[in-house]
Each structure stands twice: as C-alpha cells, then as structure tokens.
Coordinates of all heavy atoms in Angstrom, one line a residue:
M427 N -5.9 16.2 0.8 CA -6.1 14.8 0.7 C -6.8 14.5 -0.7 O -7.5 15.4 -1.2 CB -7.1 14.3 1.8 CG -7.2 12.8 1.9 SD -7.8 12.2 3.5 CE -9.5 12.6 3.4
I428 N -6.4 13.4 -1.2 CA -7.0 13.0 -2.6 C -7.6 11.7 -2.5 O -7.4 10.9 -1.6 CB -5.8 13.1 -3.6 CG1 -4.8 12.1 -3.3 CG2 -5.3 14.5 -3.8 CD1 -3.7 12.0 -4.4
S429 N -8.4 11.4 -3.5 CA -9.0 10.1 -3.6 C -8.1 9.1 -4.3 O -7.1 9.4 -4.9 CB -10.3 10.2 -4.4 OG -10.0 10.4 -5.8
P430 N -8.4 7.8 -4.1 CA -7.6 6.8 -4.8 C -7.5 6.9 -6.3 O -6.5 6.8 -7.0 CB -8.2 5.4 -4.5 CG -9.0 5.7 -3.2 CD -9.4 7.1 -3.3
E431 N -8.7 7.3 -6.9 CA -8.7 7.5 -8.3 C -7.9 8.7 -8.8 O -7.2 8.6 -9.8 CB -10.2 7.8 -8.8 CG -11.1 6.6 -8.6 CD -11.5 6.3 -7.2 OE1 -11.4 7.2 -6.3 OE2 -12.0 5.2 -6.9
E432 N -7.9 9.8 -8.0 CA -7.0 10.9 -8.3 C -5.5 10.5 -8.2 O -4.7 10.9 -9.0 CB -7.3 12.1 -7.4 CG -8.7 12.7 -7.6 CD -9.1 13.7 -6.5 OE1 -8.8 13.5 -5.4 OE2 -9.7 14.8 -6.9
F433 N -5.2 9.8 -7.1 CA -3.9 9.3 -6.9 C -3.4 8.5 -8.1 O -2.3 8.7 -8.6 CB -3.8 8.4 -5.7 CG -2.5 7.9 -5.4 CD1 -1.5 8.6 -4.7 CD2 -2.1 6.6 -5.8 CE1 -0.3 8.1 -4.4 CE2 -0.9 6.1 -5.6 CZ 0.1 6.8 -4.9
N434 N -4.3 7.6 -8.6 CA -3.9 6.7 -9.7 C -3.7 7.5 -11.0 O -3.0 7.0 -12.0 CB -4.9 5.6 -10.0 CG -4.7 4.5 -9.0 OD1 -3.7 4.3 -8.4 ND2 -5.8 3.7 -8.7
N435 N -4.2 8.7 -11.1 CA -4.0 9.6 -12.3 C -2.8 10.5 -12.2 O -2.5 11.2 -13.2 CB -5.3 10.4 -12.5 CG -6.4 9.6 -13.0 OD1 -6.3 8.6 -13.8 ND2 -7.6 9.9 -12.6
L436 N -2.1 10.5 -11.1 CA -0.9 11.3 -10.9 C 0.2 10.6 -11.7 O 0.2 9.4 -11.9 CB -0.5 11.4 -9.5 CG -1.4 12.3 -8.6 CD1 -0.9 12.1 -7.1 CD2 -1.4 13.7 -9.0
P437 N 1.3 11.4 -12.1 CA 2.5 10.8 -12.7 C 3.1 9.8 -11.6 O 3.1 10.1 -10.4 CB 3.4 11.9 -13.0 CG 2.5 13.1 -13.0 CD 1.3 12.8 -12.1
P438 N 3.7 8.7 -12.1 CA 4.3 7.7 -11.1 C 5.3 8.3 -10.2 O 5.3 7.9 -9.0 CB 5.0 6.7 -12.1 CG 4.2 6.8 -13.4 CD 3.8 8.3 -13.5
H439 N 6.1 9.3 -10.6 CA 7.1 9.8 -9.6 C 6.4 10.6 -8.5 O 6.9 10.5 -7.3 CB 8.1 10.7 -10.3 CG 7.6 12.0 -10.8 ND1 6.9 12.1 -12.0 CD2 7.7 13.2 -10.3 CE1 6.6 13.4 -12.2 NE2 7.1 14.1 -11.2
L440 N 5.3 11.2 -8.7 CA 4.5 11.9 -7.7 C 3.8 10.9 -6.8 O 3.7 11.1 -5.6 CB 3.6 12.9 -8.3 CG 4.2 14.2 -8.9 CD1 3.1 15.0 -9.5 CD2 5.0 14.9 -7.9
Q441 N 3.3 9.9 -7.4 CA 2.7 8.8 -6.6 C 3.6 8.2 -5.6 O 3.3 8.1 -4.4 CB 2.1 7.7 -7.5 CG 1.0 8.0 -8.4 CD 0.6 6.9 -9.3 OE1 1.5 6.2 -9.8 NE2 -0.6 6.7 -9.6
A442 N 4.8 7.9 -6.1 CA 5.8 7.3 -5.2 C 6.3 8.3 -4.1 O 6.4 7.9 -2.9 CB 7.1 6.9 -6.0
E443 N 6.4 9.5 -4.5 CA 6.8 10.5 -3.5 C 5.8 10.6 -2.4 O 6.1 10.7 -1.2 CB 7.1 11.9 -4.2 CG 7.5 13.0 -3.2 CD 7.8 14.3 -3.9 OE1 8.1 14.3 -5.1 OE2 7.6 15.3 -3.2
L444 N 4.5 10.7 -2.8 CA 3.4 10.8 -1.8 C 3.4 9.6 -0.9 O 3.3 9.7 0.3 CB 2.1 10.9 -2.5 CG 1.6 12.3 -2.8 CD1 0.3 12.3 -3.6 CD2 1.3 13.1 -1.5
A445 N 3.5 8.4 -1.5 CA 3.4 7.2 -0.6 C 4.6 7.1 0.3 O 4.4 6.8 1.5 CB 3.4 6.0 -1.5
L446 N 5.8 7.5 -0.1 CA 7.0 7.4 0.7 C 7.0 8.5 1.8 O 7.5 8.3 2.9 CB 8.2 7.4 -0.1 CG 8.4 6.2 -1.0 CD1 9.6 6.4 -2.0 CD2 8.7 5.0 -0.1
T447 N 6.5 9.7 1.5 CA 6.6 10.8 2.5 C 5.4 10.9 3.4 O 5.5 11.3 4.5 CB 6.9 12.1 1.8 OG1 5.8 12.4 0.9 CG2 8.2 12.1 1.0
E448 N 4.2 10.7 2.8 CA 2.9 10.8 3.6 C 2.3 9.5 4.0 O 1.5 9.5 4.9 CB 1.9 11.6 2.7 CG 2.4 12.9 2.1 CD 2.1 14.0 3.1 OE1 1.1 14.0 3.8 OE2 2.8 15.0 3.0
G449 N 2.7 8.4 3.4 CA 2.1 7.1 3.7 C 2.8 6.5 4.9 O 3.8 6.9 5.4
H450 N 2.1 5.5 5.4 CA 2.6 4.7 6.6 C 2.8 3.2 6.1 O 1.9 2.6 5.6 CB 1.5 4.7 7.7 CG 1.2 6.0 8.2 ND1 2.0 6.7 9.1 CD2 0.2 6.9 7.9 CE1 1.5 7.9 9.3 NE2 0.4 8.0 8.6
Y451 N 4.1 2.8 6.2 CA 4.4 1.5 5.8 C 3.7 0.4 6.6 O 3.7 0.5 7.9 CB 5.9 1.3 5.8 CG 6.4 -0.1 5.6 CD1 6.5 -0.6 4.3 CD2 6.6 -1.0 6.6 CE1 6.9 -1.9 4.0 CE2 7.0 -2.3 6.4 CZ 7.1 -2.8 5.1 OH 7.5 -4.1 4.8
L452 N 3.1 -0.6 6.0 CA 2.4 -1.6 6.7 C 3.0 -3.0 6.6 O 3.2 -3.7 7.6 CB 1.0 -1.7 6.2 CG 0.1 -0.5 6.4 CD1 -1.3 -0.7 5.8 CD2 -0.1 -0.2 7.9
H453 N 3.4 -3.4 5.4 CA 3.8 -4.8 5.1 C 4.5 -4.9 3.7 O 4.4 -3.9 3.0 CB 2.6 -5.7 5.2 CG 2.9 -7.1 5.4 ND1 3.7 -7.6 6.4 CD2 2.5 -8.2 4.6 CE1 3.7 -9.0 6.2 NE2 3.0 -9.3 5.2
H454 N 5.1 -6.0 3.5 CA 5.6 -6.3 2.1 C 5.3 -7.7 1.7 O 5.0 -8.5 2.6 CB 7.1 -5.9 2.0 CG 7.9 -7.0 2.6 ND1 8.3 -7.0 3.9 CD2 8.5 -8.1 2.0 CE1 9.0 -8.1 4.1 NE2 9.2 -8.7 3.0
R455 N 5.4 -7.9 0.4 CA 5.4 -9.3 -0.1 C 6.3 -9.4 -1.3 O 6.7 -8.4 -1.8 CB 3.9 -9.7 -0.5 CG 3.3 -8.9 -1.6 CD 1.9 -9.2 -1.8 NE 1.2 -8.4 -2.8 CZ 0.9 -8.7 -4.1 NH1 1.3 -10.0 -4.5 NH2 0.4 -7.9 -4.9
I456 N 6.6 -10.6 -1.6 CA 7.5 -10.8 -2.8 C 6.7 -11.5 -3.9 O 6.0 -12.4 -3.6 CB 8.7 -11.7 -2.4 CG1 9.5 -11.1 -1.2 CG2 9.6 -12.0 -3.6 CD1 10.1 -9.8 -1.5
R457 N 6.9 -11.0 -5.1 CA 6.3 -11.6 -6.3 C 7.2 -11.6 -7.4 O 7.6 -10.5 -7.9 CB 5.0 -10.9 -6.6 CG 4.3 -11.6 -7.8 CD 2.9 -11.0 -8.0 NE 2.3 -11.8 -9.1 CZ 1.2 -11.4 -9.7 NH1 0.6 -10.3 -9.3 NH2 0.7 -12.1 -10.7
G458 N 7.7 -12.8 -7.8 CA 8.7 -12.8 -8.9 C 9.9 -12.0 -8.6 O 10.6 -12.2 -7.6
W459 N 10.2 -11.1 -9.5 CA 11.4 -10.2 -9.3 C 11.1 -8.9 -8.6 O 11.9 -8.0 -8.6 CB 12.0 -9.9 -10.7 CG 12.6 -11.1 -11.3 CD1 11.9 -12.0 -12.1 CD2 13.9 -11.6 -11.2 NE1 12.8 -13.0 -12.5 CE2 14.0 -12.7 -12.0 CE3 15.0 -11.1 -10.5 CZ2 15.2 -13.4 -12.1 CZ3 16.2 -11.8 -10.6 CH2 16.3 -13.0 -11.4
C460 N 9.9 -8.9 -7.9 CA 9.6 -7.6 -7.2 C 9.3 -7.8 -5.7 O 8.8 -8.8 -5.3 CB 8.3 -7.1 -7.9 SG 8.4 -6.5 -9.5
K461 N 9.7 -6.8 -5.0 CA 9.3 -6.6 -3.6 C 8.2 -5.6 -3.6 O 8.4 -4.5 -4.1 CB 10.4 -6.2 -2.7 CG 10.0 -5.9 -1.3 CD 11.3 -5.4 -0.5 CE 10.9 -5.1 0.9 NZ 10.6 -3.6 1.1
I462 N 7.0 -5.9 -3.0 CA 5.9 -5.0 -3.1 C 5.6 -4.5 -1.7 O 5.3 -5.3 -0.8 CB 4.6 -5.7 -3.7 CG1 5.0 -6.4 -5.0 CG2 3.5 -4.8 -3.8 CD1 4.0 -7.4 -5.5
D463 N 5.7 -3.2 -1.5 CA 5.5 -2.6 -0.2 C 4.0 -2.1 -0.1 O 3.6 -1.5 -1.1 CB 6.4 -1.5 0.1 CG 7.8 -1.9 0.4 OD1 8.0 -3.1 0.6 OD2 8.7 -1.0 0.5
L464 N 3.4 -2.3 1.0 CA 2.0 -1.9 1.2 C 2.0 -0.7 2.2 O 2.6 -0.7 3.2 CB 1.1 -3.0 1.8 CG -0.3 -2.6 2.0 CD1 -1.1 -2.4 0.7 CD2 -1.0 -3.8 2.8
Y465 N 1.4 0.4 1.8 CA 1.3 1.6 2.6 C -0.1 2.0 2.8 O -1.0 1.7 1.9 CB 2.0 2.8 1.8 CG 3.5 2.7 1.8 CD1 4.1 2.0 0.9 CD2 4.3 3.4 2.8 CE1 5.5 1.9 0.9 CE2 5.6 3.3 2.7 CZ 6.3 2.6 1.8 OH 7.6 2.5 1.8
W466 N -0.4 2.7 3.9 CA -1.7 3.3 4.1 C -1.5 4.8 3.9 O -0.6 5.5 4.5 CB -2.1 3.1 5.6 CG -3.4 3.8 6.0 CD1 -3.5 4.8 6.8 CD2 -4.7 3.5 5.5 NE1 -4.8 5.2 6.9 CE2 -5.6 4.4 6.1 CE3 -5.3 2.5 4.7 CZ2 -7.0 4.4 5.9 CZ3 -6.6 2.5 4.5 CH2 -7.5 3.4 5.1
L467 N -2.2 5.4 2.9 CA -2.1 6.8 2.6 C -3.4 7.4 2.6 O -4.4 7.0 1.9 CB -1.5 6.9 1.2 CG -1.3 8.3 0.6 CD1 -0.3 9.1 1.4 CD2 -0.9 8.3 -0.9
Y468 N -3.6 8.4 3.5 CA -4.8 9.1 3.7 C -5.9 8.1 4.2 O -5.9 7.7 5.3 CB -5.3 9.9 2.5 CG -4.2 10.9 2.0 CD1 -3.8 10.9 0.7 CD2 -3.6 11.8 2.9 CE1 -2.8 11.8 0.3 CE2 -2.6 12.6 2.5 CZ -2.2 12.6 1.2 OH -1.2 13.5 0.8
D469 N -6.8 7.7 3.3 CA -7.8 6.7 3.7 C -7.9 5.5 2.7 O -8.9 5.0 2.5 CB -9.2 7.4 3.8 CG -9.7 8.0 2.6 OD1 -9.0 8.1 1.6 OD2 -10.9 8.3 2.6
F470 N -6.7 5.2 2.1 CA -6.7 4.1 1.1 C -5.3 3.5 1.2 O -4.4 4.0 1.8 CB -7.1 4.5 -0.3 CG -6.2 5.6 -0.9 CD1 -5.1 5.4 -1.6 CD2 -6.6 6.9 -0.7 CE1 -4.4 6.4 -2.2 CE2 -5.9 8.0 -1.2 CZ -4.8 7.7 -2.0
Y471 N -5.2 2.3 0.6 CA -3.9 1.5 0.5 C -3.2 1.8 -0.8 O -3.9 2.0 -1.8 CB -4.2 0.0 0.7 CG -4.8 -0.3 2.0 CD1 -6.1 -0.5 2.2 CD2 -3.9 -0.6 3.1 CE1 -6.7 -0.8 3.4 CE2 -4.5 -0.9 4.3 CZ -5.8 -1.0 4.5 OH -6.4 -1.4 5.7
V472 N -1.9 1.7 -0.8 CA -1.1 2.0 -1.9 C 0.0 0.9 -2.0 O 0.6 0.5 -0.9 CB -0.4 3.3 -1.9 CG1 0.6 3.5 -3.0 CG2 -1.4 4.5 -2.0
E473 N 0.3 0.3 -3.2 CA 1.4 -0.6 -3.4 C 2.5 0.1 -4.1 O 2.2 0.8 -5.1 CB 0.9 -1.8 -4.2 CG 0.1 -2.8 -3.4 CD -0.2 -4.0 -4.3 OE1 -0.3 -4.0 -5.5 OE2 -0.4 -5.1 -3.6
L474 N 3.7 -0.1 -3.7 CA 4.9 0.3 -4.4 C 5.6 -1.0 -4.8 O 6.0 -1.8 -4.0 CB 5.9 1.1 -3.5 CG 5.4 2.5 -3.2 CD1 6.5 3.1 -2.2 CD2 5.3 3.4 -4.4
W475 N 5.8 -1.2 -6.1 CA 6.5 -2.4 -6.7 C 7.9 -2.1 -7.0 O 8.2 -1.3 -7.9 CB 5.8 -2.9 -7.9 CG 4.4 -3.5 -7.7 CD1 3.3 -2.9 -7.1 CD2 4.0 -4.7 -8.2 NE1 2.3 -3.7 -7.1 CE2 2.6 -4.8 -7.8 CE3 4.6 -5.8 -8.8 CZ2 1.8 -6.0 -8.0 CZ3 3.8 -6.9 -9.1 CH2 2.5 -7.0 -8.7
F476 N 8.8 -2.6 -6.2 CA 10.3 -2.4 -6.4 C 10.8 -3.5 -7.2 O 10.5 -4.7 -6.9 CB 11.0 -2.3 -5.0 CG 10.7 -1.1 -4.2 CD1 9.7 -1.1 -3.3 CD2 11.5 0.1 -4.4 CE1 9.4 0.1 -2.6 CE2 11.2 1.2 -3.6 CZ 10.2 1.2 -2.7
F477 N 11.7 -3.2 -8.2 CA 12.4 -4.2 -8.9 C 13.4 -4.9 -8.0 O 13.7 -4.4 -6.9 CB 13.1 -3.6 -10.1 CG 12.1 -3.2 -11.2 CD1 12.1 -1.9 -11.7 CD2 11.2 -4.1 -11.8 CE1 11.2 -1.6 -12.7 CE2 10.4 -3.8 -12.8 CZ 10.4 -2.5 -13.2
Y478 N 14.0 -6.0 -8.5 CA 14.9 -6.8 -7.7 C 16.1 -6.0 -7.1 O 16.5 -6.3 -6.0 CB 15.5 -7.9 -8.6 CG 16.4 -8.9 -7.9 CD1 15.8 -9.8 -7.0 CD2 17.7 -8.9 -8.1 CE1 16.6 -10.7 -6.4 CE2 18.5 -9.8 -7.5 CZ 18.0 -10.7 -6.6 OH 18.8 -11.6 -5.9
D479 N 16.5 -4.9 -7.7 CA 17.6 -4.1 -7.2 C 17.2 -3.3 -6.0 O 18.0 -2.7 -5.3 CB 18.2 -3.2 -8.3 CG 17.2 -2.2 -8.8 OD1 16.1 -2.0 -8.2 OD2 17.6 -1.4 -9.7
L480 N 15.9 -3.2 -5.7 CA 15.3 -2.5 -4.6 C 15.5 -1.0 -4.6 O 15.3 -0.3 -3.7 CB 15.7 -3.1 -3.2 CG 15.4 -4.5 -3.0 CD1 16.0 -4.9 -1.6 CD2 13.9 -4.8 -3.0
K481 N 16.0 -0.5 -5.8 CA 16.2 0.9 -5.9 C 15.2 1.5 -7.0 O 14.9 2.7 -6.9 CB 17.6 1.2 -6.4 CG 18.7 0.8 -5.4 CD 20.1 0.9 -5.9 CE 21.0 0.4 -4.9 NZ 22.4 0.3 -5.5
S482 N 14.8 0.7 -7.9 CA 13.9 1.2 -9.0 C 12.4 0.8 -8.7 O 12.2 -0.4 -8.3 CB 14.3 0.5 -10.3 OG 15.7 0.8 -10.5
I483 N 11.5 1.7 -8.8 CA 10.1 1.4 -8.7 C 9.5 1.2 -10.0 O 9.6 2.0 -10.9 CB 9.4 2.6 -7.9 CG1 10.0 2.7 -6.5 CG2 7.9 2.4 -7.9 CD1 9.5 3.9 -5.8
G484 N 8.9 0.0 -10.2 CA 8.3 -0.3 -11.5 C 6.8 0.0 -11.6 O 6.3 0.2 -12.6
L485 N 6.1 0.1 -10.4 CA 4.7 0.3 -10.4 C 4.3 0.9 -9.1 O 4.8 0.5 -8.0 CB 3.9 -1.0 -10.7 CG 2.4 -0.9 -10.6 CD1 1.8 -0.2 -11.8 CD2 1.8 -2.3 -10.6
V486 N 3.3 1.9 -9.1 CA 2.7 2.4 -8.0 C 1.2 2.4 -8.3 O 0.8 2.9 -9.3 CB 3.2 3.9 -7.7 CG1 2.5 4.4 -6.4 CG2 4.7 4.0 -7.6
R487 N 0.4 2.0 -7.3 CA -1.0 2.0 -7.5 C -1.8 2.0 -6.2 O -1.4 1.4 -5.2 CB -1.5 0.8 -8.4 CG -1.3 -0.5 -7.7 CD -1.8 -1.7 -8.5 NE -1.7 -2.9 -7.8 CZ -2.5 -3.9 -7.9 NH1 -3.5 -3.8 -8.7 NH2 -2.4 -5.0 -7.2
A488 N -2.9 2.7 -6.2 CA -3.8 2.7 -5.1 C -4.7 1.5 -5.3 O -5.2 1.2 -6.4 CB -4.7 4.0 -5.1
L489 N -5.0 0.8 -4.2 CA -5.8 -0.3 -4.3 C -7.3 0.2 -4.0 O -7.6 0.8 -3.0 CB -5.4 -1.3 -3.2 CG -4.0 -1.8 -3.2 CD1 -3.7 -2.8 -2.2 CD2 -3.7 -2.4 -4.6
T490 N -8.2 -0.2 -5.0 CA -9.5 0.4 -4.9 C -10.6 -0.7 -4.5 O -11.7 -0.4 -4.5 CB -9.9 1.0 -6.3 OG1 -9.7 0.0 -7.3 CG2 -9.0 2.2 -6.5
T491 N -10.1 -1.9 -4.3 CA -11.1 -3.0 -3.8 C -10.5 -3.7 -2.7 O -9.2 -3.8 -2.5 CB -11.4 -4.0 -4.9 OG1 -10.2 -4.7 -5.3 CG2 -12.0 -3.3 -6.2
Y492 N -11.3 -4.3 -1.8 CA -10.8 -5.1 -0.7 C -10.1 -6.4 -1.2 O -9.2 -6.9 -0.6 CB -11.9 -5.4 0.3 CG -12.3 -4.2 1.1 CD1 -13.6 -3.7 1.0 CD2 -11.4 -3.7 2.0 CE1 -13.9 -2.6 1.7 CE2 -11.8 -2.5 2.8 CZ -13.0 -2.0 2.6 OH -13.4 -0.9 3.4
N493 N -10.6 -6.9 -2.4 CA -10.0 -8.1 -2.9 C -8.5 -7.9 -3.2 O -7.7 -8.8 -3.2 CB -10.7 -8.5 -4.2 CG -12.1 -9.0 -3.9 OD1 -12.4 -9.4 -2.7 ND2 -12.9 -9.1 -4.9
A494 N -8.1 -6.7 -3.5 CA -6.7 -6.4 -3.8 C -5.8 -6.6 -2.6 O -4.6 -6.8 -2.8 CB -6.5 -4.9 -4.3
L495 N -6.4 -6.7 -1.4 CA -5.6 -6.9 -0.2 C -5.4 -8.4 0.1 O -4.7 -8.8 1.0 CB -6.3 -6.2 1.0 CG -6.3 -4.7 1.0 CD1 -7.1 -4.2 2.1 CD2 -4.9 -4.2 1.1
D496 N -6.1 -9.3 -0.7 CA -6.0 -10.7 -0.4 C -4.6 -11.3 -0.4 O -4.3 -12.1 0.5 CB -6.9 -11.5 -1.5 CG -8.3 -11.4 -1.3 OD1 -8.8 -10.9 -0.2 OD2 -9.1 -11.8 -2.2
P497 N -3.7 -10.8 -1.2 CA -2.3 -11.4 -1.1 C -1.6 -11.2 0.2 O -0.7 -11.8 0.6 CB -1.6 -10.7 -2.3 CG -2.6 -10.3 -3.2 CD -3.8 -10.0 -2.4
Y498 N -2.1 -10.2 1.0 CA -1.5 -9.9 2.3 C -2.2 -10.6 3.4 O -1.7 -10.6 4.5 CB -1.6 -8.4 2.5 CG -0.9 -7.6 1.5 CD1 -1.5 -7.0 0.4 CD2 0.5 -7.4 1.6 CE1 -0.9 -6.3 -0.6 CE2 1.2 -6.7 0.6 CZ 0.5 -6.1 -0.5 OH 1.2 -5.4 -1.4
A499 N -3.4 -11.1 3.2 CA -4.2 -11.7 4.3 C -3.6 -12.8 5.1 O -3.8 -12.9 6.3 CB -5.5 -12.2 3.7
E500 N -2.7 -13.6 4.4 CA -2.1 -14.7 5.1 C -0.9 -14.3 6.0 O -0.6 -15.0 6.9 CB -1.7 -15.8 4.1 CG -2.8 -16.5 3.4 CD -3.7 -17.3 4.3 OE1 -3.1 -18.0 5.2 OE2 -4.9 -17.2 4.2
T501 N -0.3 -13.2 5.7 CA 1.0 -12.9 6.3 C 1.0 -11.6 7.2 O 1.9 -11.5 8.0 CB 2.1 -12.8 5.3 OG1 1.8 -11.7 4.3 CG2 2.4 -14.1 4.5
I502 N 0.0 -10.8 7.0 CA 0.0 -9.5 7.7 C -0.6 -9.7 9.1 O -1.5 -10.5 9.3 CB -0.7 -8.4 7.0 CG1 -0.3 -7.0 7.6 CG2 -2.2 -8.6 6.9 CD1 -0.8 -5.9 6.7
K503 N -0.1 -9.1 10.1 CA -0.6 -9.1 11.4 C -0.9 -7.7 11.8 O 0.0 -6.8 11.9 CB 0.4 -9.7 12.4 CG 0.6 -11.2 12.1 CD 1.5 -11.8 13.1 CE 1.8 -13.2 12.7 NZ 2.5 -14.0 13.6
L504 N -2.2 -7.4 12.1 CA -2.6 -6.0 12.5 C -3.0 -6.1 14.0 O -3.7 -7.0 14.4 CB -3.7 -5.6 11.6 CG -3.4 -5.4 10.1 CD1 -4.7 -5.1 9.4 CD2 -2.3 -4.4 9.9
K505 N -2.7 -5.0 14.7 CA -3.2 -4.8 16.0 C -4.5 -4.1 15.9 O -4.5 -2.9 15.4 CB -2.2 -4.1 16.9 CG -1.0 -4.9 17.2 CD -0.1 -4.0 18.2 CE 1.1 -4.8 18.5 NZ 2.0 -4.0 19.4
L506 N -5.6 -4.6 16.4 CA -6.9 -4.0 16.3 C -7.3 -3.6 17.7 O -7.2 -4.4 18.6 CB -7.9 -4.9 15.6 CG -7.6 -5.3 14.2 CD1 -8.6 -6.3 13.7 CD2 -7.5 -4.1 13.3
S507 N -7.8 -2.4 17.8 CA -8.4 -2.0 19.1 C -9.9 -2.0 19.0 O -10.5 -1.4 18.1 CB -7.9 -0.6 19.4 OG -8.5 -0.1 20.6
I508 N -10.5 -2.8 19.9 CA -12.0 -2.9 19.8 C -12.5 -2.2 21.1 O -12.2 -2.5 22.2 CB -12.4 -4.4 19.8 CG1 -11.8 -5.1 18.6 CG2 -13.9 -4.5 19.9 CD1 -12.1 -6.5 18.5
N509 N -13.4 -1.2 20.8 CA -14.1 -0.6 21.9 C -15.4 -1.3 22.2 O -16.2 -1.4 21.4 CB -14.3 0.9 21.6 CG -13.1 1.7 21.4 OD1 -12.1 1.4 22.0 ND2 -13.1 2.6 20.5
K510 N -15.5 -1.7 23.4 CA -16.7 -2.4 23.9 C -17.6 -1.4 24.5 O -17.2 -0.8 25.5 CB -16.4 -3.6 24.8 CG -15.7 -4.7 24.1 CD -15.5 -5.8 25.1 CE -14.7 -6.9 24.4 NZ -14.5 -8.1 25.2
E511 N -18.8 -1.3 24.0 CA -19.8 -0.4 24.6 C -20.6 -1.2 25.7 O -20.9 -2.3 25.5 CB -20.7 0.2 23.6 CG -20.0 1.1 22.6 CD -20.9 1.7 21.6 OE1 -22.1 1.8 21.9 OE2 -20.4 2.2 20.6
K512 N -21.0 -0.5 26.7 CA -21.8 -1.1 27.7 C -23.2 -1.0 27.3 O -23.7 -0.1 26.7 CB -21.7 -0.4 29.1 CG -20.3 -0.5 29.7 CD -20.2 0.2 31.0 CE -18.8 0.0 31.5 NZ -18.6 0.7 32.8
D513 N -24.0 -2.1 27.6 CA -25.4 -2.2 27.2 C -26.2 -1.2 28.1 O -26.0 -1.0 29.2 CB -26.0 -3.6 27.4 CG -25.3 -4.5 26.3 OD1 -25.0 -4.0 25.2 OD2 -25.1 -5.7 26.6

C-alpha cells in the first residue's frame, strides 16, 4: 500500500494501471472534453481524466483534500452502514 503523495509521484502510466487494477470505481463526472472517473484506491480517492475519445488518459491524480470531492457531492449516492451502539 502507498500514500497519496507517493502515488502522485509515480509515472502516469503506473498511476493509471494501479487505479484500474487495484481501485474500486465509484462515480464519474463530465468536465469540458473530459470524462473523469473517481476510484477508491487503498485509503484514498483517485481521479482518472479521460479525453473525449474515452481511450486516452490525460491526467491521473490522488485527491488529497476533502474539498477535491466537492464536484461529486451533488450527484454521487453512497450506501452508508451505520452501526448503532446500545447505551
């Protein structure tokens, strides 16, 4: 397992490979000419920015702040399990 900072220092082709093989796809959004996929990898989030052709990856990055997840807040739906403890 690696940290988000270590991930961001890897070459882009290795970042993409890790996200696609080890990550869990969560959601996507569209921005301009890009489709941006959100993945959960180890214990952090990763974005893969695909160009319009959906075959070329233009950017891969680990998100290191919660504010980076704001663009997903309006459209993502997560199932949360809440454990209630007895008093």
Side-chain angles (χ1 to χ4, degrees):
M427 191 159 74
I428 62 175
S429 72
E431 293 78 16
E432 291 170 322
F433 179 86
N434 282 337
N435 287 324
L436 292 173
H439 71 280
L440 290 178
Q441 291 174 326
E443 182 180 333
L444 268 176
L446 292 168
T447 59
E448 304 272 332
H450 301 278
Y451 173 82
L452 297 175
H453 195 56
H454 77 274
R455 64 188 174 103
I456 304 296
R457 182 170 182 192
W459 291 89
C460 293
K461 176 182 176 261
I462 306 164
D463 287 350
L464 180 66
Y465 288 83
W466 176 251
L467 178 67
Y468 306 128
D469 63 350
F470 56 92
Y471 295 96
V472 172
E473 283 185 332
L474 289 175
W475 291 56
F476 289 91
F477 288 123
Y478 185 70
D479 64 6
L480 300 179
K481 297 175 186 171
S482 306
I483 297 174
L485 176 68
V486 183
R487 66 178 183 147
L489 305 180
T490 56
T491 66
Y492 287 114
N493 291 342
L495 293 171
D496 285 349
Y498 300 96
E500 294 294 319
T501 59
I502 194 168
K503 294 181 183 189
L504 299 174
K505 290 183 180 178
L506 301 176
S507 175
I508 300 174
N509 295 327
K510 294 183 179 179
E511 294 183 21
K512 295 181 181 179
D513 293 327

